Amino acid sequence: PPGRKVLIVYAHQEPKSLNGSLKRVAVEELSKQGCSVTVSDLYAMQFEPRATRNDIVGCLHNSEEFNYGVETWEAYKRGGLSSDLIEEQKKVQEADLLIFQFPLYWFSMPAIMKGWMDRVLVQGFAYEFPNCYDSGLLKNKLALFSFTTGGSREMYAKGGISGDIRYLLWPMQHGIMHFCGVKVLAPHICFAPEYVSEEKRKEMLTAWAQRLKTLWKEEPINCSPEWYFK
C-alpha cells in the first residue's frame, strides 16, 4: 500500500543475472504500488563483511580485551558505530518490509550478506537480552528471503539428497530475523535457474511480480520449529 517502506538487501555481482532481474522486478512492482523502495546493493557498495575494531569510532569500552558484541553494543548506545553501519541501521529502522535477494551459497547466504547481518544487527539495535524472538527490538517489521538455488526442487525435497529446503531456512529466518522480532513471510525460491529454459526463467520473474501484487495481504509463517522440521 502507498507509504509503505521496503528495503531490499541484494547480493549478486551481475545486474543481468536472474537475481538482478528479481531485484528489479521487486523495485518496479512495489514502486508501482506506491511503496518507497531502497536497495542496498552490497557488492556495488563494496560492503565490508568483516566484524572488526573499525566498526567502533573512538575509544573502546575495554581496551584490554576486544569483545565485538560488547563493543558494538556500547558504541550503538553512544552513537559511536561507523557511518556505514549507522546508514544501514537507519534503512532497517525505516523499513516495514526487508527483502533479502541472493543466490544460495553452500546452504546459506553469500558471505557479504552474512557480514551485513553480523555487523548491522547489533545488540541494542536489533535485540536486547531478554528482548529477543517475539520481543526482539525489530518487531512490527516483515522479512522475506528470496533466493535462487543450484540444485533442483527434487534435490531439496524432504526425501531428496539435500534435505527439505526448509531446514536451511531455520538459521536465516528463525535464528536471525525471528530472533530480532521480525515476522517472516514465506520464502520465494527459484530452483535451479541455470538449468531451465529462458522461457522458464521469464515465468519465474512473472510469478514473483504476481506474488508481490498481493504480498501485503499475506500472513507471516508460523514461527515455531514445526514449520521447519515437521
Side-chain angles (χ1 to χ4, degrees):
R4 297 270 175 103
K5 289 191 162 67
V6 181
L7 171 61
I8 301 176
V9 182
Y10 162 70
H12 199 288
Q13 309 86 336
E14 174 52 68
K16 295 199 281 280
S17 64
L18 185 70
N19 273 277
S21 300
L22 288 159
K23 183 258 297 172
R24 197 180 60 249
V25 164
V27 172
E28 285 166 9
E29 188 51 52
L30 292 163
S31 301
K32 218 184 291 178
Q33 297 175 17
C35 300
S36 77
V37 185
T38 304
V39 177
S40 284
D41 181 340
L42 301 181
Y43 286 105
M45 291 156 68
Q46 300 196 352
F47 187 80
E48 167 61 78
R50 294 169 299 183
T52 68
R53 161 73 178 93
N54 298 338
D55 294 349
I56 296 101
V57 176
C59 296
L60 289 176
H61 180 68
N62 175 3
S63 53
E64 297 302 301
E65 195 178 322
F66 186 71
N67 177 320
Y68 186 81
V70 169
E71 293 298 343
T72 49
W73 183 23
E74 293 296 335
Y76 175 75
K77 289 188 286 196
R78 63 175 168 81
L81 287 173
S82 60
S83 58
D84 59 338
L85 293 192
I86 290 172
E87 187 61 28
E88 293 307 298
Q89 288 176 345
K90 192 146 89 229
K91 295 176 195 174
V92 170
Q93 198 65 67
E94 288 174 357
D96 299 299
L97 167 66
L98 308 168
I99 295 177
F100 297 95
Q101 181 65 59
F102 59 98
L104 194 70
Y105 279 9
W106 295 116
F107 278 30
S108 186
M109 57 189 97
I112 200 165
M113 184 176 278
K114 177 56 163 58
W116 186 94
M117 305 282 181
D118 292 351
R119 296 179 63 229
V120 175
L121 303 175
V122 306
Q123 184 164 355
F125 169 67
Y127 66 95
E128 181 95 86
F129 296 111
N131 296 325
C132 34
Y133 291 115
D134 291 339
S135 58
L137 302 181
L138 302 181
K139 51 185 179 295
N140 306 329
K141 296 188 188 302
L142 293 169
L144 193 164
F145 286 83
S146 170
F147 59 95
T148 58
T149 68
S152 65
R153 187 184 293 270
E154 293 70 44
M155 289 170 77
Y156 284 108
K158 215 185 185 85
I161 184 80
S162 300
D164 193 329
I165 191 81
R166 289 188 178 194
Y167 302 157
L168 318 191
L169 293 164
W170 173 254
M172 299 191 258
Q173 293 187 164
H174 187 79
I176 304 175
M177 286 296 120
H178 182 203
F179 185 84
C180 297
V182 180
K183 291 185 176 60
V184 180
L185 295 174
H188 198 84
I189 308 165
C190 292
F191 288 98
E194 285 177 77
Y195 304 104
V196 301
S197 64
E198 193 49 47
E199 199 48 47
K200 276 268 185 289
R201 279 198 289 273
K202 284 212 173 71
E203 282 170 23
M204 287 175 173
L205 294 177
T206 311
W208 179 222
Q210 277 308 115
R211 180 176 175 193
L212 288 162
K213 286 189 198 318
T214 55
L215 194 69
W216 301 102
K217 296 193 176 79
E218 292 185 15
E219 284 298 314
I221 65 166
N222 151 15
C223 279
S224 69
E226 284 76 56
W227 188 89
Y228 300 90
F229 302 110
K230 62 172 187 283

